[in-house]
Amino acid sequence: TALAEAKTRFKNIYNQNLALWLLQEGLVSQAIERLKIAGDETSVKMLLGSDIRLKMEKSQQEQAIKLSKNLTLSNYTEILNKAPLNPYLLVKIADLLTSKKKDSEAYNLLFYATEINNDSPVIWKAYIKKALDLSLWEYATDGLTNLKPLVPNSEYLAFQNLISQRKQKMISGDF
């Protein structure tokens, strides 16, 4: 992103290239923003008028299934490097780490993912659950705030209820 932010005559080209990479990684909203910065309104209109988000979602799900078939603690970083921004793969890796009692590592993986892909409900849902696993109530609540505009109200309320239930269990000592 440094080149895309630089004050150079190639700034538009750098932003277009960054947009293509972001699009390839499934970050459609960020790609559109970079195309807007580059002044590429034609590409912006094309992406906004297409079903690219649905296609990317399906492609990422398929990729995560394929890559995670032989996922282990010893190879997860190698697999992660093949699709570092795929939210479905990130969740599978975080779940693997949790199953191996590496809860903090699972949480951190998702925390950093939210920094890059902050419009993925898949990542935010997993992040909230991992924060709750570690009793990080404030972080779970912050995650809920970020999740709200990305999901239907019923899903938002379900996660709000999950946080309340987990807090109540902790207070009552029933965990």
Side-chain angles (χ1 to χ4, degrees):
T1 61
L3 290 174
E5 300 296 329
K7 291 182 179 172
T8 172
R9 63 187 177 137
F10 300 114
K11 182 177 180 174
N12 289 345
I13 293 169
Y14 295 143
N15 274 293
Q16 284 177 316
N17 284 330
L18 180 55
L20 290 173
W21 179 78
L22 290 166
L23 193 58
Q24 178 182 338
E25 293 299 319
L27 301 175
V28 178
S29 296
Q30 290 182 28
I32 290 171
E33 287 306 309
R34 287 295 167 178
L35 290 169
K36 285 179 182 176
I37 291 169
D40 188 349
E41 291 301 318
T42 302
S43 295
V44 170
K45 286 178 186 174
M46 183 187 74
L47 288 174
L48 290 174
S50 72
D51 60 350
I52 188 84
R53 290 179 198 273
L54 293 174
K55 288 179 180 176
M56 291 301 297
E57 184 101 2
K58 185 176 185 220
S59 174
Q60 288 179 322
Q61 289 172 345
E62 291 169 356
Q63 181 186 47
I65 290 168
K66 180 181 174 187
L67 290 175
S68 65
K69 279 191 177 177
N70 299 310
L71 184 64
T72 65
L73 202 53
S74 61
N75 71 0
Y76 83 90
T77 53
E78 178 186 333
I79 290 172
L80 180 60
N81 286 335
K82 293 178 181 179
L85 301 177
N86 182 320
Y88 298 97
L89 183 61
L90 289 166
V91 171
K92 287 181 181 294
I93 291 171
D95 288 344
L96 169 75
L97 292 169
T98 298
S99 75
K100 302 297 184 184
K101 306 292 185 221
K102 294 185 173 278
D103 296 322
S104 292
E105 197 172 334
Y107 169 81
N108 286 332
L109 176 74
L110 294 168
F111 172 80
Y112 291 119
T114 66
E115 295 289 309
I116 297 168
N117 191 356
N118 61 2
D119 63 351
S120 169
V122 173
I123 293 174
W124 282 115
K125 289 175 190 179
Y127 171 80
I128 291 167
K129 290 176 182 177
K130 297 303 177 203
L132 291 174
D133 290 346
L134 295 171
S135 300
L136 300 172
W137 311 114
E138 302 271 335
Y139 292 99
T141 303
D142 288 345
L144 184 65
T145 301
N146 287 291
L147 180 65
K148 187 174 185 175
L150 303 174
V151 297
N153 196 48
S154 59
E155 281 187 61
Y156 169 78
L157 292 174
F159 271 84
Q160 186 177 46
N161 189 36
L162 176 66
I163 292 171
S164 296
Q165 288 174 353
R166 296 284 288 273
K167 276 186 183 179
Q168 188 58 42
K169 278 186 176 181
M170 182 68 154
I171 291 169
S172 68
D174 186 27
F175 54 93

PDB file of all heavy atoms in Angstrom, residues 145-174:
ATOM      1  N   THR A 145     -20.038  -4.979  17.612  1.00  0.00           N
ATOM      2  CA  THR A 145     -20.296  -3.674  16.999  1.00  0.00           C
ATOM      3  C   THR A 145     -19.902  -3.687  15.525  1.00  0.00           C
ATOM      4  O   THR A 145     -20.618  -3.153  14.676  1.00  0.00           O
ATOM      5  CB  THR A 145     -19.515  -2.572  17.753  1.00  0.00           C
ATOM      6  OG1 THR A 145     -19.935  -2.567  19.116  1.00  0.00           O
ATOM      7  CG2 THR A 145     -19.744  -1.209  17.145  1.00  0.00           C
ATOM      8  N   ASN A 146     -18.777  -4.316  15.216  1.00  0.00           N
ATOM      9  CA  ASN A 146     -18.320  -4.398  13.821  1.00  0.00           C
ATOM     10  C   ASN A 146     -19.143  -5.373  12.996  1.00  0.00           C
ATOM     11  O   ASN A 146     -19.273  -5.206  11.789  1.00  0.00           O
ATOM     12  CB  ASN A 146     -16.842  -4.799  13.779  1.00  0.00           C
ATOM     13  CG  ASN A 146     -15.952  -3.669  14.211  1.00  0.00           C
ATOM     14  OD1 ASN A 146     -15.829  -2.672  13.523  1.00  0.00           O
ATOM     15  ND2 ASN A 146     -15.344  -3.796  15.370  1.00  0.00           N
ATOM     16  N   LEU A 147     -19.695  -6.381  13.647  1.00  0.00           N
ATOM     17  CA  LEU A 147     -20.513  -7.372  12.953  1.00  0.00           C
ATOM     18  C   LEU A 147     -21.883  -6.808  12.573  1.00  0.00           C
ATOM     19  O   LEU A 147     -22.437  -7.165  11.526  1.00  0.00           O
ATOM     20  CB  LEU A 147     -20.688  -8.614  13.843  1.00  0.00           C
ATOM     21  CG  LEU A 147     -21.530  -9.750  13.273  1.00  0.00           C
ATOM     22  CD1 LEU A 147     -20.875 -10.359  12.040  1.00  0.00           C
ATOM     23  CD2 LEU A 147     -21.757 -10.816  14.349  1.00  0.00           C
ATOM     24  N   LYS A 148     -22.422  -5.926  13.382  1.00  0.00           N
ATOM     25  CA  LYS A 148     -23.792  -5.449  13.217  1.00  0.00           C
ATOM     26  C   LYS A 148     -24.152  -4.997  11.804  1.00  0.00           C
ATOM     27  O   LYS A 148     -25.171  -5.428  11.255  1.00  0.00           O
ATOM     28  CB  LYS A 148     -24.095  -4.336  14.219  1.00  0.00           C
ATOM     29  CG  LYS A 148     -25.549  -3.921  14.207  1.00  0.00           C
ATOM     30  CD  LYS A 148     -25.876  -2.935  15.290  1.00  0.00           C
ATOM     31  CE  LYS A 148     -27.379  -2.664  15.280  1.00  0.00           C
ATOM     32  NZ  LYS A 148     -27.773  -1.813  16.387  1.00  0.00           N
ATOM     33  N   PRO A 149     -23.352  -4.145  11.156  1.00  0.00           N
ATOM     34  CA  PRO A 149     -23.760  -3.707   9.809  1.00  0.00           C
ATOM     35  C   PRO A 149     -23.568  -4.767   8.717  1.00  0.00           C
ATOM     36  O   PRO A 149     -23.994  -4.557   7.577  1.00  0.00           O
ATOM     37  CB  PRO A 149     -22.858  -2.496   9.540  1.00  0.00           C
ATOM     38  CG  PRO A 149     -21.679  -2.689  10.412  1.00  0.00           C
ATOM     39  CD  PRO A 149     -22.160  -3.446  11.620  1.00  0.00           C
ATOM     40  N   LEU A 150     -22.982  -5.890   9.068  1.00  0.00           N
ATOM     41  CA  LEU A 150     -22.636  -6.896   8.059  1.00  0.00           C
ATOM     42  C   LEU A 150     -23.618  -8.061   7.986  1.00  0.00           C
ATOM     43  O   LEU A 150     -23.537  -8.870   7.058  1.00  0.00           O
ATOM     44  CB  LEU A 150     -21.231  -7.453   8.341  1.00  0.00           C
ATOM     45  CG  LEU A 150     -20.103  -6.429   8.403  1.00  0.00           C
ATOM     46  CD1 LEU A 150     -18.810  -7.096   8.837  1.00  0.00           C
ATOM     47  CD2 LEU A 150     -19.937  -5.726   7.067  1.00  0.00           C
ATOM     48  N   VAL A 151     -24.498  -8.168   8.982  1.00  0.00           N
ATOM     49  CA  VAL A 151     -25.402  -9.320   9.052  1.00  0.00           C
ATOM     50  C   VAL A 151     -26.836  -8.864   9.300  1.00  0.00           C
ATOM     51  O   VAL A 151     -27.063  -7.750   9.766  1.00  0.00           O
ATOM     52  CB  VAL A 151     -24.965 -10.305  10.179  1.00  0.00           C
ATOM     53  CG1 VAL A 151     -23.601 -10.895   9.903  1.00  0.00           C
ATOM     54  CG2 VAL A 151     -25.015  -9.640  11.541  1.00  0.00           C
ATOM     55  N   PRO A 152     -27.792  -9.747   9.004  1.00  0.00           N
ATOM     56  CA  PRO A 152     -29.184  -9.435   9.348  1.00  0.00           C
ATOM     57  C   PRO A 152     -29.329  -9.253  10.863  1.00  0.00           C
ATOM     58  O   PRO A 152     -28.551  -9.802  11.650  1.00  0.00           O
ATOM     59  CB  PRO A 152     -29.967 -10.666   8.882  1.00  0.00           C
ATOM     60  CG  PRO A 152     -29.068 -11.378   7.926  1.00  0.00           C
ATOM     61  CD  PRO A 152     -27.671 -11.040   8.331  1.00  0.00           C
ATOM     62  N   ASN A 153     -30.331  -8.507  11.255  1.00  0.00           N
ATOM     63  CA  ASN A 153     -30.553  -8.212  12.669  1.00  0.00           C
ATOM     64  C   ASN A 153     -30.691  -9.481  13.508  1.00  0.00           C
ATOM     65  O   ASN A 153     -30.223  -9.533  14.650  1.00  0.00           O
ATOM     66  CB  ASN A 153     -31.777  -7.309  12.838  1.00  0.00           C
ATOM     67  CG  ASN A 153     -31.814  -6.668  14.206  1.00  0.00           C
ATOM     68  OD1 ASN A 153     -30.807  -6.130  14.662  1.00  0.00           O
ATOM     69  ND2 ASN A 153     -32.960  -6.736  14.856  1.00  0.00           N
ATOM     70  N   SER A 154     -31.292 -10.517  12.960  1.00  0.00           N
ATOM     71  CA  SER A 154     -31.470 -11.760  13.713  1.00  0.00           C
ATOM     72  C   SER A 154     -30.116 -12.388  14.078  1.00  0.00           C
ATOM     73  O   SER A 154     -29.945 -12.904  15.186  1.00  0.00           O
ATOM     74  CB  SER A 154     -32.322 -12.758  12.934  1.00  0.00           C
ATOM     75  OG  SER A 154     -31.707 -13.056  11.690  1.00  0.00           O
ATOM     76  N   GLU A 155     -29.150 -12.330  13.162  1.00  0.00           N
ATOM     77  CA  GLU A 155     -27.814 -12.866  13.462  1.00  0.00           C
ATOM     78  C   GLU A 155     -27.109 -12.001  14.499  1.00  0.00           C
ATOM     79  O   GLU A 155     -26.438 -12.511  15.391  1.00  0.00           O
ATOM     80  CB  GLU A 155     -26.957 -12.935  12.192  1.00  0.00           C
ATOM     81  CG  GLU A 155     -27.273 -14.116  11.312  1.00  0.00           C
ATOM     82  CD  GLU A 155     -26.284 -14.225  10.159  1.00  0.00           C
ATOM     83  OE1 GLU A 155     -25.075 -14.398  10.425  1.00  0.00           O
ATOM     84  OE2 GLU A 155     -26.735 -14.139   9.012  1.00  0.00           O
ATOM     85  N   TYR A 156     -27.251 -10.701  14.349  1.00  0.00           N
ATOM     86  CA  TYR A 156     -26.664  -9.786  15.323  1.00  0.00           C
ATOM     87  C   TYR A 156     -27.206 -10.083  16.723  1.00  0.00           C
ATOM     88  O   TYR A 156     -26.444 -10.205  17.682  1.00  0.00           O
ATOM     89  CB  TYR A 156     -26.950  -8.333  14.934  1.00  0.00           C
ATOM     90  CG  TYR A 156     -26.616  -7.352  16.021  1.00  0.00           C
ATOM     91  CD1 TYR A 156     -25.301  -6.980  16.257  1.00  0.00           C
ATOM     92  CD2 TYR A 156     -27.610  -6.814  16.838  1.00  0.00           C
ATOM     93  CE1 TYR A 156     -24.989  -6.095  17.278  1.00  0.00           C
ATOM     94  CE2 TYR A 156     -27.304  -5.928  17.853  1.00  0.00           C
ATOM     95  CZ  TYR A 156     -25.989  -5.570  18.071  1.00  0.00           C
ATOM     96  OH  TYR A 156     -25.677  -4.700  19.085  1.00  0.00           O
ATOM     97  N   LEU A 157     -28.518 -10.223  16.820  1.00  0.00           N
ATOM     98  CA  LEU A 157     -29.140 -10.491  18.123  1.00  0.00           C
ATOM     99  C   LEU A 157     -28.705 -11.841  18.685  1.00  0.00           C
ATOM    100  O   LEU A 157     -28.524 -11.983  19.895  1.00  0.00           O
ATOM    101  CB  LEU A 157     -30.667 -10.416  18.007  1.00  0.00           C
ATOM    102  CG  LEU A 157     -31.232  -9.020  17.719  1.00  0.00           C
ATOM    103  CD1 LEU A 157     -32.737  -9.100  17.470  1.00  0.00           C
ATOM    104  CD2 LEU A 157     -30.910  -8.050  18.841  1.00  0.00           C
ATOM    105  N   ALA A 158     -28.504 -12.823  17.818  1.00  0.00           N
ATOM    106  CA  ALA A 158     -28.033 -14.135  18.271  1.00  0.00           C
ATOM    107  C   ALA A 158     -26.644 -14.020  18.888  1.00  0.00           C
ATOM    108  O   ALA A 158     -26.366 -14.624  19.939  1.00  0.00           O
ATOM    109  CB  ALA A 158     -28.023 -15.128  17.110  1.00  0.00           C
ATOM    110  N   PHE A 159     -25.764 -13.233  18.296  1.00  0.00           N
ATOM    111  CA  PHE A 159     -24.424 -13.060  18.852  1.00  0.00           C
ATOM    112  C   PHE A 159     -24.455 -12.199  20.111  1.00  0.00           C
ATOM    113  O   PHE A 159     -23.699 -12.439  21.051  1.00  0.00           O
ATOM    114  CB  PHE A 159     -23.461 -12.478  17.802  1.00  0.00           C
ATOM    115  CG  PHE A 159     -22.800 -13.559  17.001  1.00  0.00           C
ATOM    116  CD1 PHE A 159     -23.434 -14.117  15.902  1.00  0.00           C
ATOM    117  CD2 PHE A 159     -21.560 -14.058  17.358  1.00  0.00           C
ATOM    118  CE1 PHE A 159     -22.846 -15.135  15.173  1.00  0.00           C
ATOM    119  CE2 PHE A 159     -20.957 -15.076  16.637  1.00  0.00           C
ATOM    120  CZ  PHE A 159     -21.604 -15.622  15.544  1.00  0.00           C
ATOM    121  N   GLN A 160     -25.343 -11.233  20.132  1.00  0.00           N
ATOM    122  CA  GLN A 160     -25.514 -10.421  21.342  1.00  0.00           C
ATOM    123  C   GLN A 160     -25.962 -11.321  22.495  1.00  0.00           C
ATOM    124  O   GLN A 160     -25.457 -11.219  23.617  1.00  0.00           O
ATOM    125  CB  GLN A 160     -26.539  -9.316  21.077  1.00  0.00           C
ATOM    126  CG  GLN A 160     -26.685  -8.327  22.195  1.00  0.00           C
ATOM    127  CD  GLN A 160     -27.662  -7.229  21.813  1.00  0.00           C
ATOM    128  OE1 GLN A 160     -28.747  -7.499  21.289  1.00  0.00           O
ATOM    129  NE2 GLN A 160     -27.281  -5.992  22.076  1.00  0.00           N
ATOM    130  N   ASN A 161     -26.883 -12.224  22.205  1.00  0.00           N
ATOM    131  CA  ASN A 161     -27.373 -13.167  23.197  1.00  0.00           C
ATOM    132  C   ASN A 161     -26.265 -14.130  23.633  1.00  0.00           C
ATOM    133  O   ASN A 161     -26.140 -14.461  24.816  1.00  0.00           O
ATOM    134  CB  ASN A 161     -28.578 -13.935  22.634  1.00  0.00           C
ATOM    135  CG  ASN A 161     -29.271 -14.762  23.681  1.00  0.00           C
ATOM    136  OD1 ASN A 161     -29.378 -14.370  24.834  1.00  0.00           O
ATOM    137  ND2 ASN A 161     -29.750 -15.931  23.275  1.00  0.00           N
ATOM    138  N   LEU A 162     -25.454 -14.578  22.689  1.00  0.00           N
ATOM    139  CA  LEU A 162     -24.334 -15.472  23.005  1.00  0.00           C
ATOM    140  C   LEU A 162     -23.380 -14.812  23.993  1.00  0.00           C
ATOM    141  O   LEU A 162     -22.959 -15.439  24.979  1.00  0.00           O
ATOM    142  CB  LEU A 162     -23.593 -15.860  21.727  1.00  0.00           C
ATOM    143  CG  LEU A 162     -22.344 -16.721  21.904  1.00  0.00           C
ATOM    144  CD1 LEU A 162     -22.698 -18.103  22.450  1.00  0.00           C
ATOM    145  CD2 LEU A 162     -21.612 -16.847  20.569  1.00  0.00           C
ATOM    146  N   ILE A 163     -23.057 -13.560  23.763  1.00  0.00           N
ATOM    147  CA  ILE A 163     -22.171 -12.834  24.670  1.00  0.00           C
ATOM    148  C   ILE A 163     -22.798 -12.741  26.052  1.00  0.00           C
ATOM    149  O   ILE A 163     -22.141 -13.006  27.066  1.00  0.00           O
ATOM    150  CB  ILE A 163     -21.829 -11.436  24.108  1.00  0.00           C
ATOM    151  CG1 ILE A 163     -20.970 -11.570  22.856  1.00  0.00           C
ATOM    152  CG2 ILE A 163     -21.119 -10.583  25.161  1.00  0.00           C
ATOM    153  CD1 ILE A 163     -20.745 -10.263  22.097  1.00  0.00           C
ATOM    154  N   SER A 164     -24.064 -12.399  26.110  1.00  0.00           N
ATOM    155  CA  SER A 164     -24.768 -12.289  27.400  1.00  0.00           C
ATOM    156  C   SER A 164     -24.789 -13.623  28.142  1.00  0.00           C
ATOM    157  O   SER A 164     -24.542 -13.677  29.353  1.00  0.00           O
ATOM    158  CB  SER A 164     -26.204 -11.812  27.189  1.00  0.00           C
ATOM    159  OG  SER A 164     -26.219 -10.523  26.657  1.00  0.00           O
ATOM    160  N   GLN A 165     -25.069 -14.703  27.413  1.00  0.00           N
ATOM    161  CA  GLN A 165     -25.092 -16.032  28.035  1.00  0.00           C
ATOM    162  C   GLN A 165     -23.729 -16.421  28.583  1.00  0.00           C
ATOM    163  O   GLN A 165     -23.622 -16.952  29.689  1.00  0.00           O
ATOM    164  CB  GLN A 165     -25.558 -17.080  27.026  1.00  0.00           C
ATOM    165  CG  GLN A 165     -27.009 -17.017  26.679  1.00  0.00           C
ATOM    166  CD  GLN A 165     -27.373 -17.992  25.563  1.00  0.00           C
ATOM    167  OE1 GLN A 165     -26.522 -18.636  24.964  1.00  0.00           O
ATOM    168  NE2 GLN A 165     -28.667 -18.095  25.275  1.00  0.00           N
ATOM    169  N   ARG A 166     -22.684 -16.181  27.810  1.00  0.00           N
ATOM    170  CA  ARG A 166     -21.331 -16.543  28.241  1.00  0.00           C
ATOM    171  C   ARG A 166     -20.908 -15.717  29.457  1.00  0.00           C
ATOM    172  O   ARG A 166     -20.271 -16.236  30.368  1.00  0.00           O
ATOM    173  CB  ARG A 166     -20.342 -16.374  27.088  1.00  0.00           C
ATOM    174  CG  ARG A 166     -20.592 -17.310  25.914  1.00  0.00           C
ATOM    175  CD  ARG A 166     -20.164 -18.746  26.149  1.00  0.00           C
ATOM    176  NE  ARG A 166     -18.745 -18.925  26.165  1.00  0.00           N
ATOM    177  CZ  ARG A 166     -17.977 -19.147  25.114  1.00  0.00           C
ATOM    178  NH1 ARG A 166     -18.520 -19.235  23.911  1.00  0.00           N
ATOM    179  NH2 ARG A 166     -16.693 -19.290  25.234  1.00  0.00           N
ATOM    180  N   LYS A 167     -21.280 -14.445  29.476  1.00  0.00           N
ATOM    181  CA  LYS A 167     -20.976 -13.601  30.639  1.00  0.00           C
ATOM    182  C   LYS A 167     -21.701 -14.130  31.870  1.00  0.00           C
ATOM    183  O   LYS A 167     -21.131 -14.219  32.947  1.00  0.00           O
ATOM    184  CB  LYS A 167     -21.399 -12.150  30.386  1.00  0.00           C
ATOM    185  CG  LYS A 167     -20.401 -11.331  29.656  1.00  0.00           C
ATOM    186  CD  LYS A 167     -20.885  -9.887  29.601  1.00  0.00           C
ATOM    187  CE  LYS A 167     -19.953  -9.021  28.806  1.00  0.00           C
ATOM    188  NZ  LYS A 167     -20.412  -7.628  28.719  1.00  0.00           N
ATOM    189  N   GLN A 168     -22.962 -14.479  31.667  1.00  0.00           N
ATOM    190  CA  GLN A 168     -23.772 -14.981  32.775  1.00  0.00           C
ATOM    191  C   GLN A 168     -23.195 -16.279  33.323  1.00  0.00           C
ATOM    192  O   GLN A 168     -23.137 -16.478  34.542  1.00  0.00           O
ATOM    193  CB  GLN A 168     -25.232 -15.189  32.343  1.00  0.00           C
ATOM    194  CG  GLN A 168     -26.174 -15.511  33.473  1.00  0.00           C
ATOM    195  CD  GLN A 168     -26.173 -14.431  34.551  1.00  0.00           C
ATOM    196  OE1 GLN A 168     -26.165 -13.242  34.261  1.00  0.00           O
ATOM    197  NE2 GLN A 168     -26.188 -14.841  35.805  1.00  0.00           N
ATOM    198  N   LYS A 169     -22.754 -17.175  32.451  1.00  0.00           N
ATOM    199  CA  LYS A 169     -22.122 -18.414  32.888  1.00  0.00           C
ATOM    200  C   LYS A 169     -20.873 -18.136  33.704  1.00  0.00           C
ATOM    201  O   LYS A 169     -20.607 -18.784  34.710  1.00  0.00           O
ATOM    202  CB  LYS A 169     -21.760 -19.300  31.696  1.00  0.00           C
ATOM    203  CG  LYS A 169     -22.891 -20.121  31.161  1.00  0.00           C
ATOM    204  CD  LYS A 169     -22.363 -21.056  30.073  1.00  0.00           C
ATOM    205  CE  LYS A 169     -23.467 -21.957  29.581  1.00  0.00           C
ATOM    206  NZ  LYS A 169     -22.993 -22.878  28.552  1.00  0.00           N
ATOM    207  N   MET A 170     -20.115 -17.161  33.267  1.00  0.00           N
ATOM    208  CA  MET A 170     -18.885 -16.820  33.965  1.00  0.00           C
ATOM    209  C   MET A 170     -19.204 -16.245  35.346  1.00  0.00           C
ATOM    210  O   MET A 170     -18.565 -16.620  36.333  1.00  0.00           O
ATOM    211  CB  MET A 170     -18.087 -15.786  33.131  1.00  0.00           C
ATOM    212  CG  MET A 170     -16.787 -15.424  33.741  1.00  0.00           C
ATOM    213  SD  MET A 170     -15.693 -16.840  33.686  1.00  0.00           S
ATOM    214  CE  MET A 170     -14.145 -16.019  33.684  1.00  0.00           C
ATOM    215  N   ILE A 171     -20.195 -15.377  35.412  1.00  0.00           N
ATOM    216  CA  ILE A 171     -20.577 -14.765  36.686  1.00  0.00           C
ATOM    217  C   ILE A 171     -21.099 -15.815  37.656  1.00  0.00           C
ATOM    218  O   ILE A 171     -20.753 -15.818  38.850  1.00  0.00           O
ATOM    219  CB  ILE A 171     -21.636 -13.666  36.455  1.00  0.00           C
ATOM    220  CG1 ILE A 171     -20.995 -12.479  35.733  1.00  0.00           C
ATOM    221  CG2 ILE A 171     -22.249 -13.204  37.770  1.00  0.00           C
ATOM    222  CD1 ILE A 171     -21.982 -11.454  35.205  1.00  0.00           C
ATOM    223  N   SER A 172     -21.890 -16.749  37.141  1.00  0.00           N
ATOM    224  CA  SER A 172     -22.483 -17.768  38.010  1.00  0.00           C
ATOM    225  C   SER A 172     -21.491 -18.908  38.324  1.00  0.00           C
ATOM    226  O   SER A 172     -21.791 -19.771  39.135  1.00  0.00           O
ATOM    227  CB  SER A 172     -23.749 -18.351  37.375  1.00  0.00           C
ATOM    228  OG  SER A 172     -23.420 -19.099  36.232  1.00  0.00           O
ATOM    229  N   GLY A 173     -20.345 -18.889  37.679  1.00  0.00           N
ATOM    230  CA  GLY A 173     -19.342 -19.921  37.916  1.00  0.00           C
ATOM    231  C   GLY A 173     -19.670 -21.228  37.230  1.00  0.00           C
ATOM    232  O   GLY A 173     -19.077 -22.266  37.519  1.00  0.00           O
ATOM    233  N   ASP A 174     -20.583 -21.207  36.269  1.00  0.00           N
ATOM    234  CA  ASP A 174     -21.028 -22.402  35.562  1.00  0.00           C
ATOM    235  C   ASP A 174     -20.369 -22.502  34.191  1.00  0.00           C
ATOM    236  O   ASP A 174     -21.002 -22.449  33.166  1.00  0.00           O
ATOM    237  CB  ASP A 174     -22.557 -22.380  35.423  1.00  0.00           C
ATOM    238  CG  ASP A 174     -23.102 -23.668  34.814  1.00  0.00           C
ATOM    239  OD1 ASP A 174     -22.461 -24.719  34.959  1.00  0.00           O
ATOM    240  OD2 ASP A 174     -24.181 -23.585  34.192  1.00  0.00           O
TER     241      ASP A 174
END
